[in-house]
Amino acid sequence: MASTRASLTNVLYRSQIEIARVLRLLEREGSMVSAHVANGERLYITRVVHVDLDAGYFLIAFSDEKQANDALLGDETVVFRGNVRQTRVEFSASHPCDTVHDDKPAIRFAFPSVLAQIQRRRFPRYRVPADVSLRCVADSGGVMPFEARISDISLGGLGAIVYDAGIRLPPGTVLIDCRIVVPEHEPVLVDIEVCYTKPVQLDDGALANRSGVRFVRPEKQVEALVKIFVVDLENEN
């Protein structure tokens, strides 16, 4: 699916894996990102210095101006804009808090839920559902089917599923004929290979397991799912 990624020039990412890829690109290339703080009266310029997808956060460098840092930390949500590899990037991040990274002051943000990467001068409008996860009956072709949520799918066919904490899925497990319910479409059947599993806590405080997975077949079906998490803005507008 690498060719699919290469063909996208104006895209809205809801896939956490793809968002992490873009943030790491900003970090690796040292690209500046900016945000208006203090009710738009002050421009905050910084760089992404660390990205942790598994822990669900990223870090930016402190500004040299204390007042700018105080203003940023006082905002619940901040919209960042930047440029990388001849594209513009825009994303919002919430819950800032001060921290330390490599013995230097930094600001930590919760991972963005949406990121736009475009080659236009102005960002198009787009609508994003609050919850883009998909219901899935996992291993429907196996011995003990169970219900899960598809929480992420990337352009490369990698993704994540969240399910009951009492279910154990070791790496290498292949779930056969997982039936994924897609709103306003026919259900999709795919096979899913488990890459890793870790415990997580849901927003309501309940415990669950989250597995990083690879969608192994069929490719056409997986591409249909990817379009839910990665929106080609050229075709949406």
Side-chain angles (χ1 to χ4, degrees), residues 187-228:
V188 173
L189 284 177
V190 297
D191 292 350
I192 296 175
E193 180 182 1
V194 176
C195 301
Y196 68 86
T197 298
K198 69 174 186 177
V200 294
Q201 187 173 29
L202 304 180
D203 291 340
D204 61 3
L207 297 179
N209 281 329
R210 182 181 189 273
S211 289
V213 299
R214 183 171 66 92
F215 295 83
V216 294
R217 71 104 190 157
E219 184 170 323
K220 188 173 182 179
Q221 300 283 61
V222 175
E223 287 182 353
L225 296 175
V226 166
K227 292 178 181 178
I228 298 172

Side-chain angles (χ1 to χ4, degrees), residues 20-31 84-85:
R21 178 183 61 81
V22 176
L23 291 179
R24 285 171 179 149
L25 187 60
L26 288 168
E27 175 192 359
R28 186 165 59 249
E29 298 197 353
S31 302
V84 63
R85 295 192 178 179

Side-chain angles (χ1 to χ4, degrees), residues 3-231:
S3 59
T4 302
R5 174 182 292 155
S7 66
L8 295 177
T9 56
N10 298 289
V11 58
L12 172 68
Y13 292 117
R14 296 189 291 232
S15 163
Q16 296 287 281
I17 297 170
E18 293 297 331
I19 292 172
R21 178 183 61 81
V22 176
L23 291 179
R24 285 171 179 149
L25 187 60
L26 288 168
E27 175 192 359
R28 186 165 59 249
E29 298 197 353
S31 302
M32 289 189 298
V33 295
S34 64
H36 284 92
V37 297
N39 295 320
E41 296 180 1
R42 184 182 294 271
L43 182 65
Y44 193 99
I45 300 176
T46 183
R47 288 181 172 84
V48 176
V49 296
H50 182 68
V51 179
D52 192 326
L53 173 59
D54 290 336
Y57 72 88
F58 72 99
L59 304 178
I60 62 170
F62 244 45
S63 169
D64 293 333
E65 299 182 27
K66 182 180 184 304
Q67 290 183 335
N69 293 321
D70 291 342
L72 184 72
L73 289 167
D75 287 342
E76 183 175 345
T77 301
V78 179
V79 176
F80 289 100
R81 295 178 176 89
N83 295 277
V84 63
R85 295 192 178 179
Q86 299 182 333
T87 64
R88 291 188 62 188
V89 173
E90 179 174 328
F91 58 94
S92 63
S94 59
H95 307 302
C97 62
D98 57 336
T99 185
V100 175
H101 177 69
D102 287 343
D103 297 325
K104 296 179 181 179
I107 298 178
R108 171 174 170 157
F109 281 91
F111 216 77
S113 59
V114 174
L115 181 147
Q117 185 174 19
I118 68 170
Q119 291 182 334
R120 298 174 178 172
R121 294 184 63 186
R122 297 183 62 186
F123 283 86
R125 295 182 179 181
Y126 43 78
R127 295 175 62 245
V128 181
D131 180 12
V132 295
S133 65
L134 302 175
R135 178 174 172 268
C136 170
V137 179
D139 206 28
S140 66
V143 178
M144 296 182 63
F146 61 93
E147 185 163 318
R149 301 290 298 186
I150 305 292
S151 62
D152 199 0
I153 303 175
S154 76
L155 288 169
L158 299 177
I161 62 173
V162 178
Y163 51 93
D164 188 270
I167 298 173
R168 297 289 183 265
L169 297 178
T173 300
V174 177
L175 306 174
I176 305 298
D177 287 342
C178 296
R179 185 181 180 87
I180 301 173
V181 179
V182 182
E184 301 179 1
H185 293 81
E186 292 294 322
V188 173
L189 284 177
V190 297
D191 292 350
I192 296 175
E193 180 182 1
V194 176
C195 301
Y196 68 86
T197 298
K198 69 174 186 177
V200 294
Q201 187 173 29
L202 304 180
D203 291 340
D204 61 3
L207 297 179
N209 281 329
R210 182 181 189 273
S211 289
V213 299
R214 183 171 66 92
F215 295 83
V216 294
R217 71 104 190 157
E219 184 170 323
K220 188 173 182 179
Q221 300 283 61
V222 175
E223 287 182 353
L225 296 175
V226 166
K227 292 178 181 178
I228 298 172
F229 290 84
V230 180
V231 181

